[in-house]
Amino acid sequence: MSQPVAILIACPQGEPAAALARGLVKAGLAACVNHLPGMRSTYRWKGEVVTDGEDLLIVKTVREAFAEVEAFVLANHPYEVPEVVALPLVEGHAPYLAWLEAETRASQSGIARS
């Protein structure tokens, strides 16, 4: 069985985030992507403290797909250094986790397991 993860991706508001979400699901790299608009992020960038409005994507997938998700995001994200971090899902409703695994192409395609 694959290890389920949630990958967090901060994006510019609106269509850039929506396009990434659709693309990840369409490519079979994620079973589901929650798109949370209206987040405020404060961070240090190139020596300055910046606060921007962003949207947060929560990508439900399997750990084995992380490298492909990361590559997809890097190829399609407008940021120079996008946030792409995975959090393990340590417990979950068994039928949901089974669906997540079944809907994620990586779990079915023999991607090398880490």
Side-chain angles (χ1 to χ4, degrees):
M1 179 167 184
S2 298
Q3 179 183 359
V5 296
I7 299 175
L8 306 180
I9 303 169
C11 302
Q13 294 178 321
E15 186 52 31
L20 274 174
R22 282 191 307 272
L24 288 165
V25 173
K26 191 171 187 176
L29 297 173
C32 173
V33 178
N34 298 119
H35 181 163
L36 305 173
M39 177 176 76
R40 301 282 300 161
S41 294
T42 301
Y43 54 94
R44 185 178 305 279
W45 182 248
K46 297 185 178 182
E48 293 186 37
V49 175
V50 179
T51 298
D52 281 325
E54 294 183 300
D55 288 356
L56 179 64
L57 299 181
I58 304 173
V59 179
K60 270 60 96 14
T61 188
V62 293
R63 183 176 182 188
E64 295 80 8
F66 181 84
E68 283 191 85
V69 170
E70 180 182 35
F72 183 91
V73 171
L74 294 178
N76 294 285
H77 200 293
Y79 289 174
E80 185 178 334
V81 182
E83 170 188 4
V84 186
V85 296
L87 306 173
L89 300 178
V90 296
E91 294 290 337
H93 181 56
Y96 176 82
L97 295 178
W99 170 82
L100 186 154
E101 184 172 15
E103 292 300 319
T104 303
R105 176 180 58 82
S107 68
Q108 302 168 8
S109 65
I111 288 176
R113 302 206 187 287
S114 20

